[in-house]
Amino acid sequence: MFRTAELGQKLPKKEYKAIEPLLREELLELQQALLAQAKTPVIIVFAGVDGGGKGETVQVLNAWMDARWLINRAYRNPSDDERERPEYWRYWRDLPPRGRIGLFLSSWYSRPVLDRVYGTISVAELDERLDRIVTFENALAEDGALILKFWMHLSKSAQKARFKSLEKDPFLSWQVTEKDWEHWRRYDSFTDAAERTIMRTNTGRAAWNIVEGADPYFRSITVGKIIRDTIRKKLEQLADAEHVKSSTTSSPQPPQSNQHSAIEGDIEKILPSATLLSKLDMSLTLSKPDYKARLKKYQGKLNLLHRRAMAKGISTIVVCEGPDAAGKGGMIRRLIAAIDPHNYQVLPFAAPTDEEQARHYLWRFWRHLSRAGDFTVFDRSWYGRVLVERVEGFASEAEWRRAYAEINDFEEQLIEHGIVLVKLWIHITKEEQLHRFKERENTPHKSWKLTEEDWRNREKWDDYEQAAHDMFQYTSTRYSPWVLVEGNSKYFARVKAVKTMCDYLEQALKRKTDLTKNSSN
Amino acid sequence: MFRTAELGQKLPKKEYKAIEPLLREELLELQQALLAQAKTPVIIVFAGVDGGGKGETVQVLNAWMDARWLINRAYRNPSDDERERPEYWRYWRDLPPRGRIGLFLSSWYSRPVLDRVYGTISVAELDERLDRIVTFENALAEDGALILKFWMHLSKSAQKARFKSLEKDPFLSWQVTEKDWEHWRRYDSFTDAAERTIMRTNTGRAAWNIVEGADPYFRSITVGKIIRDTIRKKLEQLADAEHVKSSTTSSPQPPQSNQHSAIEGDIEKILPSATLLSKLDMSLTLSKPDYKARLKKYQGKLNLLHRRAMAKGISTIVVCEGPDAAGKGGMIRRLIAAIDPHNYQVLPFAAPTDEEQARHYLWRFWRHLSRAGDFTVFDRSWYGRVLVERVEGFASEAEWRRAYAEINDFEEQLIEHGIVLVKLWIHITKEEQLHRFKERENTPHKSWKLTEEDWRNREKWDDYEQAAHDMFQYTSTRYSPWVLVEGNSKYFARVKAVKTMCDYLEQALKRKTDLTKNSSN
């Protein structure tokens, strides 16, 4: 989940200085439009790791916007006054009225996450607290509130570096306390609690934005831009709804986005937008003899492991996604070559059938879950909802946004049931894809593989890459991570895929054995 | 919660025979319209106590509608096939496609409730299972499904009578098993689990209908009528949405409701619609000397109890609702007469202020929560959302329907915090109200109390009574029940109110003492 915010993204000062006045002007204008319309309160929540720039970002937003109409709230340990009322009293009390923006630091997320990190509450208790949050945010959103949530992230090493550098500065060293270091030592439990928190509260109505917090210029502009886009969209929706109701009555108009297309173009162009995929080492490769030897070795191992898994009733589900011509087919052949044909099934998914179209999009995947012990390969999968359906507009934004949570819930049910779920993304570079397309064109027995659609999809390469990046962000969790396979070398990719399968099955068998041991004690 | 379905409502056979063909025709017609439109799957869930007529109602619906297009599903203990997949696999598998109706018996509600009744799972685990249900139903509803849920209820004695009568019938006695009697013996735990289940899964998108199950004619027509109204509304909404999108393209039209107004009128007229309020014994009264003596006694007791509560930091919140002229003011005066004026506060709620209007409707109540030990009387309250705002149309149907869950959540937070919450409904009959209105008109020093609005509200007496009935149904829970006070005699009402307060405080003090004892052991 957080790897997508550990890419080392930076914005140089010069470019920051170019963007900042433009963004600022737009934010001010939107703030005025919000006030004039007085229909929707805006609630902006900042959470994340210490040193991720939560407080600094609130500072910047106060400088950019008209601070008279901002409500800033940060919560400490409850006062007497607060302790004598239910926990949420203080949050209700501070809600902004319609038309105004509230910025919340150390909000309702702070205590549940920290209580879990320090082991004061169990996972089930954390879930109960997160339920309360969802109920709270839903009630506000259904009443018309716009809720934006930012999770400011730093990697463990970046957090350490940040604390060290603050400590060296005589004017800033007070910011780093023993408590901060204590939190740092618990970084991994913090990540676990954070991941569960984000997953369970990432609703369509109040979605999380995970922001890389290391570079102040990058994070400020990123947050500002998301706030701008979200408020603008909301104002446009409200204006549309107003328009439908009655096209005669006049109401305050939001700034039109087309007025700003030039400026936006600038910001989009200048702001770096690295994706997780752009950071892969695509030069990884393997010689032919090496490939043959290793493939044989891991296929043999996979065969043994799967037979042991069968015996214990452990099912395996492999999800394969990636760009066209990335080599999914060849890779799948190498996987199943290791498995007894009685026990595997490869399910290719293209456009849904009529029967499938007539039901919820997850139905077609649920129906194909196999019995205990089976090894099932999904060649394309439920992730189509947030990839092709998003990019091609087959699913509305509301539909694909809520799909992240639906997919997480679905996979949680698979894993709870004891299924080994492996999600493989086979990647190739845009150049390598072109090379393979041309090769297919020129090879008679391969030309059938290349369709017009492949060329059309290729034109939307950047959109697909962004969709994949967002998918990794919201659905790559500690209990079910995405495995990114560098696929420019088919040899390398196939061996990595088969080896990954071995690792997963080995771990699952070990867990099962441990469980049996414990229960027999 | 279930008292609203223990009113002994019956429909005579003759009247059933008159209604049945009309309702049947309408249901058939709506079923065809659903099929033709093929946009929305309909999922109808039956749950409730054994003997409440779940299976029989499904039988009736199959006879009424075109069974070829109905999908009937009932679940037993999972088969091998089902056990080897995640629990929800079988429910996903059986989902009806768009345009068709699925009737589900012993559905996803069955196991969580029974596991709780038999103590296999804790309350927290029940909550986790209910979360999964809400996630499941939400995903389907957001995808366009119409979900109707019926809880078929019998009182403990009605259930016993039903089993006894079945056992006497040689052809039906097989229906009653030892398991049924075992469930009956656990009736109270069943009610607890059922209440929590309904409260937590009674969402705006998939609301529960609690149906009195004792009389077959009454329950069949009641269920049929709710299905008819809900499907018709959905089809109308879909047609409207279609109409907005493009007024030129033609699409299957749902049967118009005005075509049926005559028939509907018949059904509405014939079907009994007793409310909880209509069953109160409004003749209860108290003589003046009795009144004086008892009032003094309980006021003295209340004073002592409240002082003990103060010392322990226990706050009290009293909610007073009821028709105009029911005597809320006089009753509140008798309550606070017993409390030290430093420690009580009476908060009257009429129309919200500008500041309140600019926020979520619960904000104005949250802000008035007092500090530990205080005694606060809410003269009208958050229940305005589901009473006056519903009846007068100030809140949309979606708004007041979701308010039940919002209010339950709010009150749960109050109670979890240790606040003693007492909800009093002071009732008078329609005749008594008229009598009091006339008296006010003719008494100079009381005439200011009577406004035009009071007369207008009186015209909507039946709507208010129905709204109150629904409110009791969804918000009267075991941990926070409504207390209905028979108010035709002011003397009786005042004494009952003060005595009720004493009972509540006594119990709360006892709980607190028990807790302290346990923790000091």
Side-chain angles (χ1 to χ4, degrees):
Chain A
M1 181 173 276
F2 295 115
R3 277 184 300 169
T4 53
E6 297 179 355
L7 303 176
Q9 304 206 80
K10 279 186 170 44
L11 185 69
K13 183 170 182 179
K14 199 181 135 210
E15 295 175 357
Y16 175 79
K17 291 287 176 199
I19 294 176
E20 192 242 7
L22 308 177
L23 188 56
R24 191 174 171 165
E25 188 199 320
E26 290 183 277
L27 284 171
L28 266 171
E29 212 173 322
L30 286 163
Q31 195 186 8
Q32 289 308 313
L34 265 178
L35 265 171
Q37 200 173 40
K39 286 235 168 112
T40 191
V42 180
I43 294 163
I44 307 183
V45 172
F46 293 90
V49 306
D50 296 326
K54 293 169 284 189
E56 292 88 335
T57 309
V58 169
Q59 281 289 23
V60 168
L61 290 172
N62 271 277
W64 283 353
M65 288 192 267
D66 188 335
R68 286 173 303 172
W69 307 107
L70 293 177
I71 293 169
N72 293 296
R73 286 289 178 276
Y75 299 92
R76 294 152 200 254
N77 282 333
S79 65
D80 280 359
D81 225 30
E82 290 165 347
R83 249 196 314 276
E84 291 178 12
R85 277 122 172 156
E87 187 192 343
Y88 275 59
W89 177 71
R90 56 182 186 173
Y91 308 129
W92 276 93
R93 180 190 59 192
D94 294 343
L95 291 177
R98 299 181 208 286
R100 288 178 65 179
I101 300 173
L103 305 172
F104 293 88
L105 279 166
S106 310
S107 67
W108 39 95
Y109 285 98
S110 193
R111 286 176 62 189
V113 172
L114 286 178
D115 283 352
R116 180 65 203 127
V117 171
Y118 282 87
T120 325
I121 57 174
S122 68
V123 173
E125 283 165 326
L126 175 63
D127 286 350
E128 294 259 351
R129 304 252 210 125
L130 299 177
D131 276 353
R132 174 135 293 154
I133 290 178
V134 170
T135 306
F136 176 55
E137 292 180 345
N138 265 348
L140 301 178
E142 298 212 49
D143 191 50
L146 181 64
I147 304 176
L148 281 118
K149 302 189 289 196
F150 292 98
W151 192 275
M152 313 298 282
H153 182 72
L154 286 181
S155 68
K156 192 169 181 179
S157 57
Q159 192 183 30
K160 187 175 181 178
R162 168 110 173 114
F163 287 167
K164 290 265 179 213
S165 95
L166 282 173
E167 277 182 340
K168 270 188 211 143
D169 186 325
F171 295 105
L172 297 176
S173 61
W174 60 270
Q175 284 192 22
V176 185
T177 63
E178 181 39 39
K179 204 168 166 191
D180 289 318
W181 283 113
E182 177 57 32
H183 286 185
W184 180 81
R185 282 187 290 271
R186 292 175 188 256
Y187 187 92
D188 292 337
S189 356
F190 187 83
T191 304
D192 276 351
E195 205 171 85
R196 192 163 188 95
T197 299
I198 291 174
M199 249 177 48
R200 295 214 151 216
T201 58
N202 192 31
T203 59
R205 292 197 178 86
W208 278 105
N209 300 283
I210 302 176
V211 177
E212 185 158 3
D215 178 61
Y217 295 143
F218 175 79
R219 75 177 177 233
S220 306
I221 297 290
T222 301
V223 169
K225 190 174 154 304
I226 293 172
I227 294 177
R228 178 200 68 181
D229 294 346
T230 317
I231 294 182
R232 179 178 296 152
K233 202 165 70 188
K234 180 79 180 181
L235 286 169
E236 281 169 1
Q237 281 166 359
L238 286 172
D240 284 353
E242 209 45 44
H243 187 72
V244 168
K245 252 199 225 154
S246 113
S247 41
T248 51
T249 55
S250 70
S251 74
Q253 286 300 309
Q256 293 298 308
S257 32
N258 52 6
Q259 295 173 4
H260 293 271
S261 52
I263 296 173
E264 261 170 51
D266 285 352
I267 297 184
E268 308 280 344
K269 241 186 297 168
I270 297 173
L271 193 67
S273 61
T275 67
L276 197 53
L277 293 173
S278 67
K279 298 283 170 173
L280 289 179
D281 179 359
M282 296 304 288
S283 67
L284 289 170
T285 184
L286 218 55
S287 72
K288 192 163 183 176
D290 244 15
Y291 163 65
K292 287 200 162 176
R294 294 206 200 180
L295 187 65
K296 205 174 159 189
K297 172 180 155 197
Y298 288 118
Q299 280 180 333
K301 195 170 171 190
L302 180 55
N303 180 278
L304 278 174
L305 286 165
H306 176 252
R307 278 193 280 154
R308 286 178 51 206
M310 276 287 295
K312 293 194 187 281
I314 299 175
S315 306
T316 308
I317 289 180
V318 189
V319 168
C320 300
E321 296 279 0
D324 294 322
K328 287 193 296 295
M331 186 198 70
I332 290 170
R333 276 196 301 281
R334 270 58 178 197
L335 281 175
I336 57 172
I339 313 284
D340 181 329
H342 291 91
N343 308 120
Y344 70 74
Q345 210 182 345
V346 179
L347 304 167
F349 287 90
T353 65
D354 283 0
E355 272 209 55
E356 290 167 345
Q357 196 91 61
R359 289 171 174 90
H360 192 279
Y361 78 94
L362 282 176
W363 183 77
R364 62 195 300 223
F365 306 106
W366 270 101
R367 71 193 294 218
H368 284 299
L369 297 185
S370 340
R371 297 193 59 166
D374 280 0
F375 186 98
T376 317
V377 180
F378 286 76
D379 182 2
R380 304 224 178 268
S381 67
W382 44 92
Y383 283 102
R385 190 71 163 183
V386 296
L387 295 170
V388 56
E389 292 192 42
R390 166 182 169 174
V391 173
E392 303 297 336
F394 301 148
S396 70
E397 182 171 346
E399 283 172 337
W400 61 258
R401 280 205 182 273
R402 69 171 180 258
Y404 297 121
E406 290 173 349
I407 288 172
N408 286 335
D409 176 66
F410 173 51
E411 294 183 354
E412 203 175 296
Q413 292 187 60
L414 300 181
I415 291 164
E416 268 177 23
H417 192 68
I419 293 169
V420 177
L421 174 65
V422 185
K423 304 188 291 194
L424 300 173
W425 177 274
I426 324 298
H427 199 58
I428 47 171
T429 55
K430 201 172 172 185
E431 299 69 40
E432 177 65 19
Q433 189 188 49
L434 184 64
H435 174 71
R436 294 190 186 177
F437 277 11
K438 292 221 163 125
E439 196 184 57
R440 286 180 177 183
E441 259 181 345
N442 301 329
T443 314
H445 75 274
K446 282 188 175 172
S447 62
W448 62 271
K449 277 175 126 181
L450 192 70
T451 65
E452 274 305 305
E453 208 187 319
D454 290 332
W455 288 106
R456 277 200 306 276
N457 289 346
R458 187 175 156 76
E459 278 169 32
K460 297 186 180 162
W461 181 277
D462 291 346
D463 295 338
Y464 275 102
E465 186 165 328
Q466 186 61 50
H469 177 83
D470 291 347
M471 175 182 86
F472 301 139
Q473 177 151 306
Y474 293 120
T475 65
S476 194
T477 57
R478 295 251 291 191
Y479 68 81
S480 174
W482 273 96
V483 178
L484 307 189
V485 180
E486 299 81 354
N488 274 7
S489 153
K490 288 183 182 176
Y491 290 166
F492 179 85
R494 291 169 188 170
V495 170
K496 181 164 177 180
V498 180
K499 181 175 180 307
T500 300
M501 286 309 310
C502 293
D503 295 344
Y504 268 79
L505 279 174
E506 223 162 14
Q507 281 164 28
L509 285 164
K510 192 171 171 303
R511 269 197 306 273
K512 189 94 175 182
T513 316
D514 291 350
L515 275 179
T516 322
K517 263 192 213 150
N518 285 337
S519 63
S520 65
N521 280 352
Chain B
M1 179 173 278
F2 295 114
R3 276 186 300 168
T4 52
E6 298 179 355
L7 303 176
Q9 303 206 79
K10 279 185 169 46
L11 185 68
K13 184 170 181 181
K14 198 181 135 210
E15 295 176 356
Y16 174 79
K17 290 287 176 200
I19 295 177
E20 193 241 6
L22 307 177
L23 188 55
R24 192 173 168 165
E25 188 199 321
E26 290 183 279
L27 284 171
L28 266 171
E29 209 173 325
L30 286 163
Q31 195 186 7
Q32 289 308 315
L34 265 178
L35 266 171
Q37 201 172 40
K39 286 234 168 114
T40 191
V42 180
I43 293 162
I44 307 185
V45 172
F46 293 89
V49 305
D50 296 326
K54 292 169 286 189
E56 292 88 335
T57 309
V58 168
Q59 281 289 22
V60 167
L61 290 172
N62 270 276
W64 283 352
M65 288 193 268
D66 188 336
R68 287 174 301 173
W69 307 107
L70 291 177
I71 293 168
N72 293 296
R73 287 289 179 273
Y75 299 93
R76 292 152 203 252
N77 282 335
S79 66
D80 280 0
D81 223 31
E82 289 166 346
R83 248 196 314 275
E84 289 177 12
R85 276 120 173 158
E87 187 193 342
Y88 275 59
W89 177 71
R90 57 182 185 171
Y91 308 129
W92 275 93
R93 181 191 57 189
D94 295 343
L95 291 178
R98 298 181 209 287
R100 289 178 64 179
I101 300 174
L103 304 173
F104 292 88
L105 278 166
S106 309
S107 67
W108 39 96
Y109 284 99
S110 192
R111 286 176 62 188
V113 172
L114 286 179
D115 284 352
R116 180 65 203 126
V117 171
Y118 283 87
T120 325
I121 56 173
S122 67
V123 172
E125 284 165 325
L126 175 64
D127 286 350
E128 295 260 351
R129 304 253 209 123
L130 299 177
D131 276 354
R132 174 136 294 155
I133 291 178
V134 170
T135 305
F136 175 55
E137 292 180 345
N138 265 350
L140 300 178
E142 298 213 49
D143 191 50
L146 182 63
I147 304 175
L148 280 118
K149 301 188 291 196
F150 293 98
W151 192 274
M152 313 299 282
H153 182 72
L154 286 182
S155 67
K156 193 170 180 178
S157 57
Q159 193 182 29
K160 188 175 180 178
R162 168 111 172 112
F163 288 167
K164 290 265 180 211
S165 95
L166 282 173
E167 278 181 341
K168 270 187 212 144
D169 187 327
F171 295 105
L172 297 175
S173 60
W174 60 271
Q175 283 191 22
V176 185
T177 63
E178 181 40 38
K179 203 167 167 194
D180 288 319
W181 282 114
E182 177 57 33
H183 285 186
W184 180 79
R185 282 188 289 272
R186 294 176 187 256
Y187 188 93
D188 291 337
S189 353
F190 187 83
T191 304
D192 276 350
E195 203 172 86
R196 192 164 188 94
T197 299
I198 293 175
M199 248 175 51
R200 296 215 151 214
T201 58
N202 192 31
T203 58
R205 291 196 181 84
W208 279 104
N209 300 283
I210 301 176
V211 177
E212 184 158 3
D215 178 59
Y217 295 144
F218 175 79
R219 74 177 177 232
S220 306
I221 298 289
T222 302
V223 168
K225 190 176 154 300
I226 294 172
I227 294 177
R228 179 199 69 182
D229 294 346
T230 317
I231 295 182
R232 178 177 296 150
K233 203 166 69 188
K234 181 79 179 182
L235 285 170
E236 281 169 0
Q237 281 166 359
L238 286 171
D240 284 352
E242 212 41 48
H243 186 74
V244 168
K245 253 199 224 153
S246 112
S247 40
T248 51
T249 55
S250 71
S251 75
Q253 286 299 309
Q256 292 299 308
S257 32
N258 51 7
Q259 293 173 5
H260 294 268
S261 52
I263 296 173
E264 259 171 55
D266 283 352
I267 298 184
E268 308 279 344
K269 242 187 296 168
I270 298 172
L271 193 67
S273 61
T275 67
L276 197 54
L277 294 172
S278 67
K279 299 284 170 173
L280 289 179
D281 179 0
M282 296 303 287
S283 67
L284 290 169
T285 184
L286 219 54
S287 71
K288 193 162 183 176
D290 244 16
Y291 164 65
K292 287 201 163 174
R294 294 206 200 179
L295 187 66
K296 206 174 157 189
K297 171 181 155 199
Y298 289 119
Q299 280 180 334
K301 195 170 170 191
L302 180 56
N303 180 278
L304 278 173
L305 286 165
H306 177 254
R307 277 193 280 155
R308 285 178 51 207
M310 276 287 296
K312 294 194 186 285
I314 299 175
S315 304
T316 307
I317 290 180
V318 189
V319 168
C320 300
E321 295 279 359
D324 294 323
K328 288 192 295 295
M331 185 199 68
I332 291 170
R333 276 197 300 282
R334 270 56 174 201
L335 281 175
I336 56 173
I339 314 285
D340 180 329
H342 290 91
N343 306 119
Y344 71 74
Q345 211 182 345
V346 179
L347 304 167
F349 287 90
T353 65
D354 284 0
E355 271 207 58
E356 291 168 344
Q357 197 92 62
R359 290 171 173 90
H360 191 280
Y361 79 93
L362 282 176
W363 182 77
R364 62 195 300 224
F365 306 106
W366 271 101
R367 72 195 293 219
H368 283 300
L369 297 185
S370 338
R371 297 193 60 166
D374 280 0
F375 186 99
T376 317
V377 180
F378 285 76
D379 182 2
R380 305 224 177 268
S381 69
W382 43 93
Y383 284 102
R385 190 70 163 185
V386 296
L387 295 169
V388 56
E389 292 191 43
R390 165 181 171 176
V391 173
E392 304 295 337
F394 302 148
S396 70
E397 183 170 345
E399 283 172 336
W400 61 257
R401 281 208 182 272
R402 70 171 180 258
Y404 297 121
E406 290 174 349
I407 288 172
N408 285 336
D409 175 66
F410 173 51
E411 293 183 355
E412 203 176 298
Q413 292 187 60
L414 300 180
I415 290 164
E416 268 178 21
H417 192 69
I419 293 169
V420 177
L421 174 65
V422 185
K423 306 189 290 196
L424 300 173
W425 177 275
I426 325 298
H427 199 59
I428 47 171
T429 56
K430 202 171 172 186
E431 299 69 41
E432 177 65 19
Q433 190 188 49
L434 184 65
H435 174 73
R436 292 190 188 177
F437 277 11
K438 291 220 164 126
E439 195 185 60
R440 284 181 179 183
E441 259 182 345
N442 301 328
T443 315
H445 76 272
K446 282 189 176 171
S447 62
W448 62 270
K449 278 175 126 180
L450 191 69
T451 65
E452 274 305 307
E453 209 186 320
D454 292 330
W455 287 107
R456 276 200 305 277
N457 290 346
R458 187 175 155 77
E459 281 169 29
K460 298 185 180 161
W461 181 277
D462 292 346
D463 296 337
Y464 275 102
E465 186 165 325
Q466 187 60 49
H469 177 82
D470 291 347
M471 173 181 88
F472 301 139
Q473 178 153 305
Y474 294 119
T475 64
S476 195
T477 56
R478 294 250 292 192
Y479 68 79
S480 175
W482 272 97
V483 178
L484 307 189
V485 180
E486 299 81 354
N488 274 7
S489 153
K490 289 184 182 174
Y491 290 166
F492 178 85
R494 290 169 189 169
V495 169
K496 180 165 178 179
V498 180
K499 181 174 179 308
T500 300
M501 288 308 311
C502 293
D503 295 344
Y504 269 78
L505 280 174
E506 224 161 12
Q507 281 162 27
L509 285 163
K510 192 170 170 304
R511 271 197 305 275
K512 189 94 176 181
T513 315
D514 291 350
L515 275 179
T516 321
K517 263 192 213 150
N518 285 338
S519 64
S520 65
N521 280 353

